[in-house]
Amino acid sequence: MLRRLALCFLCVVINLTGCSRRSSADLPPIVTATPTVAPVFQERPTASPFVPPPTRTLLPTRPPVTATTVGDDDRSQLQVDPVYRDALSTGWSIANSALLTSVTLTETQVVALGRYAIAVTPSESTGILFFTITPESGIELRRDRVAALRLRLSGGNLPIANDAMTIAVVGSNRFSYWTPNDDSVTLSGRVTNSTEPLFPETRLYFLGLNRAIAPGEWAEIYVWLDDLIYEPEYTYVTGFYLKTSNDLVPQYYVDQIEWLVRAEPSSNP
């Protein structure tokens, strides 16, 4: 009797187990989403806006021409105001020159006219021979009266390529002499204290020099101010400079430097 009851109980247990397995197999699988942390706690990096680099001042882009803004007849009427003839004229200085290995105002071996010339050796960096009007000079060069800068240039026993040097004329709206940090002249779209030159630096080939200056040759250079491109408006001419480097021009000579100035307008009643 006990054996029969045990057998019945075992059959019941087996049946219940089989039902449980079938019920579990019939249930749909539970899909759990994979947890993601990054989209919640990390922001996407914001792209930095593109800031274009400052535009460099372009050199004049017209072909080389011989500057003749003043006709021959009118040119003979221009007055000559010397800056250097064997010596610097009173009121002029080269003390603000920079990056020159050597400079002498009394060169005797390479001379265009007279007894002396200026001999310049630029450094390996860009050297500047800077002629400026001194504060105590009393000189007043009004821009509206200055027609041109004229000088003679030579490389001595070496040539000077017509793209190896630039010349610039500088000025002021506040002072009749040169002073550092003068911010009185502005150019549209240009920050005054920018590292870019405010006054146009013009290469020799845009001043009418259509070939290199040959060894032993003197070239007469004219800088006609009304022909300069990108020139700002200003009241007084306060100086000018020649810029080059030693690898382009190892040494050069300058002589007979002068301004060509228009006569004062007559004040007849």
Side-chain angles (χ1 to χ4, degrees):
M1 183 68 179
L2 291 176
R3 183 179 297 177
R4 185 178 295 177
L5 289 174
L7 183 62
C8 290
F9 178 77
L10 181 60
C11 290
V12 172
V13 171
I14 292 172
N15 289 333
L16 288 176
T17 303
C19 292
S20 175
R21 287 178 180 175
R22 286 193 299 271
S23 297
S24 298
D26 294 338
L27 291 177
I30 299 174
V31 179
T32 304
T34 303
T36 56
V37 177
V40 178
F41 295 101
Q42 294 181 0
E43 296 182 357
R44 296 181 63 184
T46 303
S48 301
F50 172 71
V51 179
T55 302
R56 296 188 62 82
T57 302
L58 299 178
L59 290 170
T61 55
R62 61 184 180 180
V65 296
T66 301
T68 54
T69 56
V70 180
D72 291 338
D73 293 338
D74 295 330
R75 187 178 301 179
S76 65
Q77 303 301 316
L78 295 174
Q79 300 174 356
V80 176
D81 191 343
V83 177
Y84 178 89
R85 287 182 178 173
D86 286 344
L88 277 177
S89 299
T90 302
W92 285 92
S93 171
I94 60 169
N96 296 294
S97 301
L99 299 176
L100 300 178
T101 301
S102 67
V103 57
T104 177
L105 300 175
T106 56
E107 167 64 34
T108 59
Q109 299 302 311
V110 184
V111 179
L113 293 171
R115 298 173 56 196
Y116 303 115
I118 302 174
V120 184
T121 303
S123 69
E124 293 181 0
S125 300
T126 301
I128 298 176
L129 177 62
F130 199 178
F131 297 82
T132 57
I133 297 175
T134 61
E136 65 278 0
S137 67
I139 297 174
E140 185 177 286
L141 278 176
R142 293 190 61 87
R143 168 64 184 85
D144 57 2
R145 290 189 55 215
V146 176
L149 171 69
R150 180 169 65 187
L151 57 88
R152 299 197 181 196
L153 179 66
S154 176
N157 60 359
L158 296 173
I160 297 179
N162 62 356
D163 63 348
M165 178 181 292
T166 60
I167 301 178
V169 176
V170 303
S172 173
N173 280 319
R174 184 177 301 144
F175 306 108
S176 60
Y177 51 87
W178 185 84
T179 183
N181 304 317
D182 182 357
D183 60 357
S184 63
V185 179
T186 59
L187 191 62
S188 179
R190 175 73 58 78
V191 178
T192 304
N193 60 358
S194 168
T195 57
E196 299 295 330
L198 181 63
F199 297 90
E201 297 179 341
T202 308
R203 296 187 187 275
L204 298 177
Y205 58 77
F206 283 108
L207 299 175
L209 199 66
N210 58 11
R211 60 174 176 81
I213 303 173
E217 181 181 42
W218 284 93
E220 190 171 55
I221 307 295
Y222 286 84
V223 183
W224 296 99
L225 270 61
D226 290 343
D227 273 2
L228 297 177
I229 301 178
Y230 310 118
E231 185 192 36
E233 294 185 1
Y234 58 97
T235 304
Y236 303 102
V237 173
T238 59
F240 63 95
Y241 60 83
L242 285 69
K243 178 190 285 189
T244 189
S245 58
N246 185 271
D247 60 330
L248 296 175
V249 183
Q251 190 170 41
Y252 64 91
Y253 304 85
V254 191
D255 202 354
Q256 301 297 302
I257 308 171
E258 52 203 14
W259 297 103
L260 302 182
V261 183
R262 302 180 181 95
E264 285 272 15
S266 59
S267 56
N268 295 330

